[in-house]
Amino acid sequence: MSASVKAYDELITRLKKAALLRSCSAILEWDEQTYLPPAGAGHRADQLALMAGMVHQEATSPEIGDLLQELESVSEWEADSIEQANIRETRHEYDRMTKLPRRLVEELSRVATLSHHAWVKARQENQFKDFLPWLEQMIDLKREQAAALGFQGQKAYDALLDEYEPGATSEMIEQAFSPLRNELVKLVAAIHDSGISPDVSILTRKYPVEKQREFSISAAEKIGFDFHSGRLDIAAHPFCTGIGPGDCRLTTRYDEQHFPGAFFGTLHEAGHGIYEQGLLKEYFGTPVGSSTSLGIHESQSRMWENLVGRSRSFWDCFYQSAQAQFPEALTNVSQEDFYRAINDVRPSYIRVEADEVTYNLHIMLRFELEQALIAGDLQPTDLETAWNEKFTEYFGITPDTPAHGCLQDVHWSAGLIGYFPTYALGNMYAAHFFNAANRELGGLDELISRGEFVPLKEWLNQKIHQQGKRYRANRLLEVVTGESLSHEPLVAQLSRKYSELYNL
Amino acid sequence: MSASVKAYDELITRLKKAALLRSCSAILEWDEQTYLPPAGAGHRADQLALMAGMVHQEATSPEIGDLLQELESVSEWEADSIEQANIRETRHEYDRMTKLPRRLVEELSRVATLSHHAWVKARQENQFKDFLPWLEQMIDLKREQAAALGFQGQKAYDALLDEYEPGATSEMIEQAFSPLRNELVKLVAAIHDSGISPDVSILTRKYPVEKQREFSISAAEKIGFDFHSGRLDIAAHPFCTGIGPGDCRLTTRYDEQHFPGAFFGTLHEAGHGIYEQGLLKEYFGTPVGSSTSLGIHESQSRMWENLVGRSRSFWDCFYQSAQAQFPEALTNVSQEDFYRAINDVRPSYIRVEADEVTYNLHIMLRFELEQALIAGDLQPTDLETAWNEKFTEYFGITPDTPAHGCLQDVHWSAGLIGYFPTYALGNMYAAHFFNAANRELGGLDELISRGEFVPLKEWLNQKIHQQGKRYRANRLLEVVTGESLSHEPLVAQLSRKYSELYNL
């Protein structure tokens, strides 16, 4: 065994240990959002802060630095090889982590837990002012984090963004968002002017919660989420967390009077889950056994939720069982009317319930506001007003309450700043990937209408999931599709679909 | 601040950190038994082994040893003071832990997790042979653990027992069990000879699971378990785990055809939970903020389950709502018939469903067998036969399947050897405590029949829970009741109750 192979193996062992420890935190975080008794929040914050500190210590050990240096000094790794990718991405992560003092890491963790609970309560009670002190603390900490990370010549925000979308900058994202915004605004206006308005009241009839749960689980299972290695629970804000091999967890929330929330939410999270379950188990704990970016992650969830789940073909396969499952709500509703209702486009307050077209505008609004918060151009105390003004500008309607406005999302409370743009990136990536899968597999629509999801799932497994962090997002896109990121595939898909629906 | 006060504070800080880390493991363990997806067992075993190793490292740090030595060399601590107790019990724990190599601690943890899952499956499938290799591995590890701990002049088993009942020895326990056994055998025979046999079929009518859950929760709440700081979930083997301040979790299991299982199981676990919730939060992580022994813990659970929950007074308060909750099963059943059914005494296979009288015989059987396993006098491969023979000797009936025999309990699979005798000790302690509470509060029966549980709960809080490990079990008994451990109070209680029920 050469010295560098030995060093590489030792690096992998250390990475796996740090990942194993991190996965213990992941269970504590999952539990915090699902089953933690209310009075346990303070203790949980202490637990998570301790764990964050210990993970940080493992992941920043000088031994990892020495091993990296040794490995970088030899040139035996092939380009695009697993080893090269593991070394490259470990270096990236190691450099990020070592710039952060353990105190800050623990503080961020502790405040995130407490702030999350404050957010849940403030949102329930519709009081922005109750959340404000936590937001202020969090923005201060995130600015401190950005400063510690450094952002040579770029914006402080970019240092945060890099955690979720390695290598991306706000400038690159704005370049992609700008033409997308123009096209979407035109499309929304055309849809509005069409005068067509589907009957969405059929989606707010009575859908018993237990029936929704069964139906969501059966759909998630059918598209390929493995419940032997996973589960679905309830949380205030839906999420997916991949704990480790054989353990990936989805959450959703149910509203008896609203079908799409839990159902498409579950498809969305199952899309994340299928990515996590598709990572190669033998690489667990190393970069090539991890998802490559949140943008790519969202491309998977948004693809299953929208390109698959809101397609006509999908309901060719599922509508009969939906009617059987919800006879009271759907017996007299035609499949076409149902299909039109779940694809109704109109300005609305809540991002996670927004249609495919306006969804990206919700993201752009958040992207602008969180950049301003980190730059110091917007004070947290002015957020509610700024949100409402910008919302009115984008959507022509003004949120009636903070819960329908700046309090609706969990992210900022949990310190996830720089996360939002990855959703819209995900929509763009998804359009690229879906086209490529369609080209290579041939007739995706027909497969879907027959309930044959295995070919698409396995294509994604092989092309994307099993690659882990071998390629960064844009390079992965290039390798898989031969294309560079563009708004065009997404705009083309949306135009095609909605022109037909709204006679444009 | 004197040097020793400073050293004491530093010791406390270190203990709290180790306890915080241990409480992270407790969540992983709870999750393992409640919500872990089947395929996640291997990863969970790795997580728990890593955490066990890290906890061990924290708890055995040389700094703790140095601090202890410094603190033991000064004599400023008052007898029975909090400080003295914390130093004494930390020394006890530190000496135990430092004798165990980290490798063994991790191995015990890993094997316990995997063995637990093997046990669940073997029990479901009723195959002792599938569990046997795990039992063999576990017994070997426990013998290795006992050898590492040392047991000067005593039995290897005593080294294990000491973990659950500090300071106790198998000889002391046998001295208490021996007269108890004689009295119980006589009582069981007298009951059998009475010819009286309550109609227990009323307990196996239809009790809808959701209704059982509601009823169990309302009873647990009424006796004083705080659901704002706790919860109740489902597990294969019921347990209670105190995670930390504000977070204590109970589990139970439901059988639609069997009322007592979930109901008395929940009361039992709630009794444990009330102890955990009664510990002083400010002492979390230190000995005086921890329960003093499993025997005392069981005295709390068995008291609420039996001395309270199976009393006539309890059902004076609860029977009407039971009838309202389970009309199909109970409408035409008198309270007296119900009371007699839940106090039916007869030999049966399952310990956790056994009546108060035969229960202790189940314990004695396990106590004998596990001593023989650790001594090497009984080989794991012969356990099933030995169990069945001894069972027949004790109860006059022979288990029809391993699930009704040596596979019924979780303990050995999880490495909990030396744990069983604490249940019977708990019954004896409970009788002492209940008598004392009755003397001091006056008319406990009447309070209970009026649904007034606060006086008893607060008496226990103050006398027992808030003391933590300030006193060891026997000393606590003496401080609280002025008595020494004896079988007599328990035998007197049982004789009184069952003489009336069976016209003895």
Side-chain angles (χ1 to χ4, degrees), chain A residues 165-180:
Chain A
E165 201 63 24
T169 66
S170 47
E171 199 185 330
M172 285 162 48
I173 289 177
E174 183 48 35
Q175 271 169 20
F177 279 7
S178 177
L180 179 62

Side-chain angles (χ1 to χ4, degrees), chain A residues 23 31 35 47 231 249, chain B residues 23 31 35 39 47 231 249:
Chain A
S23 80
D31 180 79
Y35 296 119
Q47 290 176 310
R231 40 181 304 117
R249 305 184 181 199
Chain B
S23 80
D31 180 80
Y35 296 118
Q47 290 177 310
R231 41 182 303 117
R249 304 182 181 200

Side-chain angles (χ1 to χ4, degrees), chain A residues 33-50:
Chain A
Q33 311 225 11
T34 50
Y35 296 119
L36 181 70
H43 184 68
R44 180 54 45 87
D46 291 343
Q47 290 176 310
L48 283 170
L50 175 66

